[in-house]
Amino acid sequence: MPTDAPARRARAAPPRRSRAESRGPRIVGAALLPYLRLVRAPAVFSALGDPIAGLLLDDGGDIEPGQASRLAAASAMLYLAGMALNDLADRAEDARERPERPIPSGAVTPRAAAIVGGSLLLGGVLAAQRSGARWTGPALAAMIVAYDFQLKRSAALGPAAMGACRALSLLMGVEASRGIVTRRGAEGALLLGAYVAGLTLIARAETGAARTIELRTGAGLVAGAVLATAVRGGLASLAWSAATAALT
C-alpha cells in the first residue's frame, strides 16, 4: 500500500566500548598519580627558566631554540629527581608526620622512588652535557643529592645549598652559551643564589624552625640581592627589581 511518509533509515548503533577498554585509562592514571605526587610534577615549571636566563645573559636575546629546549628539559629532570630523592631521604620522618605521602602510604616503594630519582638525575646530567653544560650539569646533580640527604638538615648550609642549586641551574645556560662561566654569568648566579638562600631562610619560619637572626639574615640577603640587581642592571632592571621586591 503506497504511503507519503518518508522512508526511515535504520541508524547504526555506535560501537560500545568494553568495560576493560573504558577502565584502561583510569587504571593507568591511578598508577601514575602517586609518582606524579612523588616528584611534585606541577611545580616543575619553576625550574625551566633558570638555564634559559643563563643563555640570555651572554647571548643578548639571540638563542638557539633547540639548545634552550634541551637545557630546560635537563633542568626539569634534575628538579624532578631532587623531589623524588627528597621523599626517599625523608621517608622515616614522613611516616610520622606526613603518612599520606606516596612512600609512607605504600603507593610507591623506596626502591621505586630510588629508581625514578636516579634515572631522572642521570637523564638530566646527560641532557645538560649534550647541551654544552659539561661541568655545571653534574655539579648541580651532586648538589641536589647533597642537599636532599645531608645539607638540608643544617640551618646554615641548607639555605646556602638551595641557593647554590638555583645558581648552578642558571650557570648551565651560561656555560652552554659560551663554553665557560663568564664574569657576568657568575655575577647573575651569585645574585640569584643569594636571593633564593634568603627566601629559604625566611620560609623556615613557616615551620617555626627559624630564629630571629635567621629571619633577619634572610631578609638582608633578599634585600641585598634585589638592590644589587637594580644597581648592576641600571635603568633597564629597575622595573623588574621593583616588581620582585613587591612580590617578595
Side-chain angles (χ1 to χ4, degrees):
M1 180 175 180
T3 176
D4 295 333
R8 296 181 179 177
R9 296 181 179 179
R11 294 183 179 179
R16 293 184 178 180
R17 299 176 64 185
S18 67
R19 290 185 178 180
E21 290 177 340
S22 62
R23 284 194 306 230
R26 297 179 185 176
I27 294 174
V28 172
L32 287 178
L33 184 58
Y35 291 91
L36 294 176
R37 293 182 59 218
L38 175 73
V39 298
R40 295 169 176 83
V44 71
F45 299 100
S46 64
L48 304 183
D50 292 338
I52 296 177
L55 284 174
L56 291 170
L57 271 176
D58 282 316
D59 276 352
D62 184 17
I63 63 176
E64 198 271 310
Q67 185 184 43
S69 299
R70 290 190 296 272
L71 282 170
S75 181
M77 285 189 284
L78 290 171
Y79 178 90
L80 295 173
M83 294 296 101
L85 296 176
N86 180 73
D87 271 24
L88 179 65
D90 287 349
R91 61 188 185 277
E93 178 182 340
D94 285 345
R96 297 189 303 269
E97 301 179 5
R98 293 173 289 274
E100 73 282 357
R101 290 296 301 161
I103 295 178
S105 69
V108 177
T109 65
R111 182 173 181 271
I115 292 174
V116 169
S119 300
L120 286 169
L121 198 74
L122 178 60
V125 169
L126 292 177
Q129 290 185 322
R130 291 193 63 181
S131 302
R134 291 178 175 81
W135 76 266
T136 47
L140 175 56
M143 183 58 67
I144 288 171
V145 173
Y147 175 83
D148 282 341
F149 288 95
Q150 188 64 40
L151 298 181
K152 68 182 177 184
R153 296 177 175 83
S154 168
L157 296 179
M162 179 63 73
C165 285
R166 295 297 297 270
L168 285 167
S169 183
L170 184 141
L171 286 176
M172 285 200 306
V174 175
E175 184 190 10
S177 172
R178 295 295 183 182
I180 60 171
V181 173
T182 62
R183 178 178 176 179
R184 186 177 183 183
E187 289 176 354
L190 179 62
L191 292 175
L192 176 61
Y195 178 78
V196 172
L199 287 182
T200 305
L201 279 169
I202 294 173
R204 286 170 56 84
E206 296 179 3
T207 61
R211 299 186 295 271
T212 302
I213 188 172
E214 293 173 345
L215 290 174
R216 290 176 178 174
T217 302
L221 284 172
V222 169
V226 172
L227 180 60
T229 300
V231 173
R232 182 68 177 82
L235 293 175
S237 66
L238 284 179
W240 292 103
S241 298
T244 301
L247 290 174
T248 303

